[in-house]
């Protein structure tokens, strides 16, 4: 069973062929209306279940549109409306859904839920974000970087802010695809040790630099994300904001990076908090390319999972 659970669990050669396929598919349908089918219909006759236990705009719409463009059909389900939210086990849910659908994408809270679903499903499972990681996002981000700046290998990516799930997938990608990653944030919000260990073990130790101005020096890409993720308690909001405010990505911070440095944010953003409008709407921002590339990258991920 070919699941797409995490970037560090996917062979680097497979990551590269997924990225190649993403680019090919994007180019092949350039200029077409969004609802026009692709030339090939690899998902003809296939049904994909999209399960959301957290809100989503990009993941939900890009997976749904992507499946349709490839000739398949989708079922969008929310955890609370399923028996899953009312006591049925994840294992039984996996076994049942595998009798109806060909592929399952899930956005959930605990990573364990994703892993249990994958263990018991007899169809491929895709991670659409957990508290721990967001691999589909980073596939789109790598694709976006390479469209603008060429191969990411050997480049320097600087993360400013919370050491969260999106950072974790960047760290996994740094190890797998060979780029330098710098983390700049408060010690209290450092990434999980396992994430740091993976990158270090893959020969790409992540540098921690508490001073954001120093951190972004020589950056080819500056990235941030929301200061409060969907799984974070709102009661910690004020404390987190106070800790993260020095790491806001604003024009002054970007002046310390190279003039060529791109800016990324997976969105949704809280404009004026983690990044200012000037940066988000500035000439080096590629935030909407990232959003678009979710569509193309995930189409390639689905084909890879299904061997199509
Ligand atoms: N970036 C991202 O995953 O966005 P959504 O929460 O809207 O899906
Ligand atoms: N870190 C954010 C990403 C949202 C796409 C969250 O988990 O809420």
């Amino acid at each position: 069973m070919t699941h797409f659970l995490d970037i560090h669990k996917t062979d680097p050669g497979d990551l590269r062929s997924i990225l190649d396929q993403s680019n090919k598919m994007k180019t092949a349908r350039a200029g077409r209306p969004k609802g026009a089918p692709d030339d090939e219909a690899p998902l003809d006759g296939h049904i994909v279940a999209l399960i959301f236990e957290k809100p989503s705009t990009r993941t939900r719409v890009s997976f749904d549109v992507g499946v349709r463009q490839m000739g398949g059909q989708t079922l969008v389900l929310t955890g609370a409306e399923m028996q899953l939210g009312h006591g049925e086990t994840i294992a039984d849910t996996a076994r049942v859904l595998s009798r109806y659908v060909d592929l399952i994408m899930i956005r959930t809270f605990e990573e364990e839920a994703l892993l249990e679903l994958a263990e018991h499903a007899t169809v491929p499972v895709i991670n659409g974000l957990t508290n721990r990681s967001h691999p589909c996002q980073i596939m789109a981000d790598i694709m976006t970087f390479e469209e603008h700046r060429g191969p990411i290998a050997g480049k320097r990516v600087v993360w400013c802010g919370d050491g969260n799930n999106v950072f974790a997938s960047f760290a996994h990608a740094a190890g797998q695809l060979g780029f330098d990653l710098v983390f700049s944030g408060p010690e209290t919000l450092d990434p999980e040790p396992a994430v740091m260990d993976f990158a270090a073990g893959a020969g790409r130790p992540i540098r921690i630099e508490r001073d954001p101005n120093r951190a972004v020096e020589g950056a080819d890409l500056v990235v941030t994300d929301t200061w409060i993720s969907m799984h974070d308690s709102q009661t910690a909001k004020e404390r987190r904001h106070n800790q993260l405010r020095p790491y806001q990505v604003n024009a002054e911070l970007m002046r310390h990076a190279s003039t060529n440095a791109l800016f990324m944010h997976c969105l949704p953003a809280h404009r004026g908090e983690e990044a200012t409008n000037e940066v988000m709407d500035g000439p080096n921002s590629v935030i909407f390319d990232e959003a678009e590339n979710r569509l193309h990258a995930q189409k390639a991920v689905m084909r890879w999972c299904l061997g199509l």
Side-chain angles (χ1 to χ4, degrees), residues 55-251:
S56 169
T57 296
R58 279 144 289 269
T59 306
R60 178 178 170 154
V61 178
S62 57
F63 265 103
D64 201 339
V65 170
V67 172
R68 293 178 199 212
Q69 290 179 349
M70 294 195 291
Q73 297 179 63
T74 55
L75 280 171
V76 183
L77 306 161
T78 60
E81 287 165 354
M82 297 169 70
Q83 298 293 6
L84 181 61
H86 298 90
E88 186 165 23
T89 67
I90 295 166
D92 284 347
T93 304
R95 294 180 186 114
V96 170
L97 286 180
S98 300
R99 303 288 180 107
Y100 299 133
V101 306
D102 302 288
L103 180 62
I104 302 169
M105 189 288 311
I106 184 166
R107 164 169 289 193
T108 189
F109 287 85
E110 301 303 329
E111 182 180 55
E112 289 69 26
L114 167 80
L115 299 180
E116 202 178 334
L117 191 80
E119 185 186 340
H120 297 281
T122 54
V123 298
V125 172
I126 296 175
N127 176 359
L129 178 146
T130 69
N131 298 357
R132 275 237 166 95
S133 64
H134 197 4
C136 290
Q137 179 67 52
I138 275 45
M139 293 302 283
D141 291 356
I142 303 292
M143 179 183 175
T144 306
F145 181 89
E146 296 193 333
E147 278 178 344
H148 287 271
R149 295 286 185 265
I152 197 160
K155 295 289 198 304
R156 183 179 296 180
V157 177
V158 179
W159 178 277
C160 291
D162 183 16
N164 66 12
N165 47 2
V166 178
F167 175 82
S169 289
F170 257 112
H172 296 152
Q176 296 286 65
L177 299 173
F179 57 88
D180 289 330
L181 184 59
V182 179
F183 173 78
S184 191
E187 198 174 344
T188 45
L189 298 173
D190 269 351
E192 287 187 25
V195 166
M196 305 297 280
D197 292 348
F198 173 78
R204 290 281 160 181
I206 294 163
R207 180 158 73 83
I208 295 186
E209 172 54 69
R210 302 284 173 213
D211 176 346
N213 290 336
R214 291 238 302 264
V216 300
E217 279 170 18
D220 296 294
L221 167 64
V222 176
V223 195
T224 191
D225 186 14
T226 179
W227 288 344
I228 305 197
S229 286
M230 291 181 272
H231 59 276
D232 289 324
S233 151
Q234 285 292 327
T235 57
K237 184 172 174 178
E238 200 180 325
R239 182 170 48 80
R240 292 178 74 95
H241 276 222
N242 288 338
Q243 290 173 340
L244 286 161
R245 204 162 285 118
Y247 298 94
Q248 181 191 67
V249 182
N250 50 40

Side-chain angles (χ1 to χ4, degrees), residues 40-48 66-73 102 306 308:
E40 295 175 284
L43 262 53
D44 185 26
H46 290 73
I47 300 194
V48 180
V67 172
R68 293 178 199 212
Q69 290 179 349
M70 294 195 291
Q73 297 179 63
D102 302 288
L306 291 164
L308 297 169

